[in-house]
Amino acid sequence: MPVVNPATEAVIAEVAAATAADVDAAVSAARAALAGPWGQMPARERGRLLWRMAERLTERIDEIARLETLHNGKPIRESRHVEIPLSAEVLQYYAGWADKLHGETVPVSANGLVYTRREPLGVVAAIVPWNFPLLLAMWKVAPALAAGNVVILKPASQTPLTALAFGDLATEVGLPPGVLNVITGAGGTVGQALVEHPGIDKIAFTGDTSTGKHIMRSAADTLKHITLELGGKSPNIVFPDADLDAAVRGATVGIFYGKGEVCAAGSRLLVDASIKDQFIEKVAARAKKMVAGDPLDPNTRLGAISSKAQLDRVLRYVDIAKGEGATLVAGGSRTDIGTGKGYFMQPTVFADVRPEMTIAREEIFGPVLAAIEFGDADEAIARANDSMYGLAAGIWTRDLKKAHYVASKLQAGLVWVNTYNVYDVGASFGGYKQSGFGRELGQHALDYYTQLKTVWVDLA
Ligand code: NAD
């Protein structure tokens, strides 16, 4: 399969298009590893291996950050200073958990010793999308390995290069064969074969909600464990008592960071009617100042949309928004960086968006903001929750009581107050409603890579 650099449209690599037979081979290797030394390895030693992978990733950071930018189109400053360092941090965080997954003793009425053990699930298939190719892989690989599972990692077909580099790196640090298998190929063949394979115990998936539903149905036949991190249409709510300059910055970062190809992007800007006009004007002014550039240039803040298909999808939504009567106040067109090549898009802002419009309801997954007005806090909550999604939300206010009240009412797995798009490996992340289930990051992610065994010893 060709790998395309979305900033130049050039084919930069070719990778294997795996088949169902390759999936069988990966499962055999994984099961052999589970039955072999990995299955017997002391937890602390697993932790050391994860830590060594983090160190090696940090040593190879320039090369791997460059690969991430080349196949995804994101600015090198995001790859080099955010995504790859965070990937190393995820490995370190779960390295520390490896030897701390203990059970408990349970008082029972009979004369018995009852205790629990946290055991690995077995073979985990991690299926990841193209927007944060290595980081989202680490969100799955690190807790899975820390808990003693083995992993088959399938990167998105558009962005396989950093997963392959990571597989190489795992070999360099001495991870035993079969513990981490990287398999490249199309979702419909390789992904589907993983989901249906009886030798796989769990699917950890990040991607589109419709793909998630399909995976859930397909995984039913073998009754696999599944966790799904899916799409979003997250509301970013601005009250008139907020620090409005900070809120303008937050609204802009919330939608334009990562070209808007961020599942938690604040793509619905809910603004109090009394400040709506001045606020949207300021957001639009910032959007117009963001100019796309060469992703490899360290000064570039806005890179290329990840693929031609994704750019076409974003442009289609712009047309729909115009057709339904939203007012375009910034951007709206494809742009270029003077080379005549590349899938670049202007940061785009629509005002006068009504809640029933398509751009208020469907995930675009690009740099397009839909601004919607509200009257009071309860209307803001109702509008925010009027979505099939529930991944994240933002609240901007100086009123502490209002902040906690609104946070408690929002149907979202993550609520930011007076900030947006900030993450930490310790803070769990995941969806409500059709944004999926299960949690990644933090201690809670480990629950989804272990199963509980109760042991009852008769002492009578
Ligand atoms: P996608 O669902 O098309 O692909 C995701 C992955 O699934 C890819 O590796 C793909 O090859 C694979 N896949 C496709 N069909 C499959 C099948 N039938 N069986 C198994 N695997 C299959 O999504 P995408 O286009 O790569 O990513 C964009 C979407 O992902 C957006 O909707 C976005 O919101 C969502 N996303 C969510 C999160 C999150 O954490 N919630 C993070 C990133 C992206």
Side-chain angles (χ1 to χ4, degrees):
M1 297 189 311
V3 180
V4 174
N5 177 347
T8 62
E9 302 177 37
V11 174
I12 51 169
E14 285 196 346
V15 297
T19 61
D22 297 309
V23 171
D24 283 340
V27 172
S28 300
R31 296 223 80 90
L34 206 55
W38 180 254
Q40 310 302 322
M41 189 182 283
R44 202 155 295 156
E45 184 54 30
R46 289 201 306 269
R48 271 192 213 110
L49 279 167
L50 280 166
W51 192 275
R52 287 225 289 276
M53 285 192 266
E55 285 180 333
R56 192 70 190 119
L57 183 57
T58 306
E59 283 161 17
R60 290 178 60 178
I61 193 164
D62 288 328
E63 167 212 347
I64 292 178
R66 189 179 150 84
L67 278 183
E68 197 74 312
T69 284
L70 285 175
H71 65 183
N72 168 279
K74 67 178 65 193
I76 190 73
R77 67 184 292 139
E78 291 182 13
S79 305
R80 175 66 182 76
H81 299 291
V82 183
E83 191 186 336
I84 310 301
L86 284 182
S87 300
E89 233 177 85
V90 174
L91 290 163
Q92 287 170 330
Y93 175 84
Y94 286 106
W97 270 113
D99 62 356
K100 296 170 193 72
L101 298 172
H102 46 71
E104 54 208 0
T105 53
V106 184
V108 289
S109 50
N111 188 4
L113 166 66
V114 177
Y115 64 94
T116 60
R117 293 165 48 83
R118 284 232 151 253
E119 297 187 345
L121 296 172
V123 181
V124 173
I127 303 178
V128 296
W130 40 259
N131 56 336
F132 291 87
L134 190 67
L135 183 60
L136 295 179
M138 291 307 105
W139 285 16
K140 297 167 173 53
V141 170
L145 295 184
N149 300 279
V150 294
V151 176
I152 301 173
L153 169 61
K154 195 204 93 57
S157 36
Q158 300 88 336
T159 54
L161 301 181
T162 44
L164 289 169
F166 187 77
D168 178 48
L169 177 156
T171 314
E172 287 177 336
V173 305
L175 198 70
V179 174
L180 173 69
N181 308 272
V182 183
I183 186 159
T184 55
T189 49
V190 178
Q192 188 67 28
L194 289 168
V195 174
E196 290 173 2
H197 204 292
I200 291 176
D201 302 290
K202 169 178 172 145
I203 301 289
F205 173 78
T206 297
D208 205 57
T209 292
S210 61
T211 317
K213 290 179 185 176
H214 178 76
I215 286 178
M216 195 165 170
R217 280 190 288 267
S218 305
D221 283 339
T222 45
L223 214 72
K224 287 184 177 59
H225 294 256
I226 50 176
T227 41
L228 302 174
E229 297 287 354
L230 308 175
K233 191 77 201 176
S234 299
N236 204 354
I237 308 170
V238 183
F239 289 104
D241 59 11
D243 173 345
L244 292 179
D245 288 337
V248 166
R249 285 194 299 277
T252 324
V253 169
I255 184 64
F256 299 132
Y257 183 84
K259 314 158 258 165
E261 294 166 348
V262 178
C263 44
S267 52
R268 284 187 296 151
L269 177 65
L270 301 188
V271 201
D272 185 282
S274 66
I275 54 161
K276 164 192 84 154
D277 291 337
Q278 66 183 93
F279 192 86
I280 294 171
E281 201 177 301
K282 283 187 180 169
V283 172
R286 278 181 81 91
K288 285 177 191 161
K289 276 200 204 135
M290 287 187 76
V291 179
D294 175 0
L296 287 174
D297 180 336
N299 295 316
T300 294
R301 302 293 174 102
L302 185 68
I305 301 294
S306 294
S307 64
K308 172 79 167 54
Q310 191 62 18
L311 176 67
D312 290 345
R313 177 187 159 101
V314 174
L315 291 170
R316 219 166 34 242
Y317 275 108
V318 169
D319 283 345
I320 292 171
K322 287 181 189 160
E324 291 182 359
T327 309
L328 181 67
V329 291
S333 305
R334 184 177 180 169
T335 181
D336 78 76
I337 57 169
T339 58
K341 294 277 186 192
Y343 312 129
F344 295 92
M345 174 78 198
Q346 294 175 326
T348 298
V349 181
F350 279 101
D352 305 318
V353 177
R354 291 189 309 277
E356 67 277 12
M357 287 182 181
T358 307
I359 59 159
R361 309 205 72 78
E362 295 184 13
E363 181 178 52
I364 301 173
F365 220 55
V368 181
L369 184 64
I372 304 166
E373 67 170 58
F374 65 80
D376 60 18
D378 285 318
E379 192 181 19
I381 293 164
R383 295 218 152 151
N385 290 340
D386 178 20
S387 172
M388 72 173 195
Y389 295 113
L391 193 53
I395 303 169
W396 297 85
T397 178
R398 286 192 172 100
D399 179 339
L400 206 54
K401 215 165 146 184
K402 193 189 317 178
H404 290 294
Y405 171 70
V406 177
S408 75
K409 297 287 177 192
L410 290 176
Q411 296 160 353
L414 173 57
V415 178
W416 285 294
V417 179
N418 294 332
T419 187
Y420 205 93
N421 251 346
V422 288
Y423 303 88
D424 186 277
V425 59
S428 294
F429 179 80
Y432 275 29
K433 301 196 282 189
Q434 293 194 30
S435 290
F437 49 78
R439 288 293 175 269
E440 301 200 285
L441 301 179
Q443 180 177 358
H444 298 294
L446 292 158
D447 295 342
Y448 301 94
Y449 291 98
T450 52
Q451 50 196 341
L452 194 73
K453 178 180 282 173
T454 303
V455 180
W456 187 305
V457 184
D458 184 22
L459 298 180

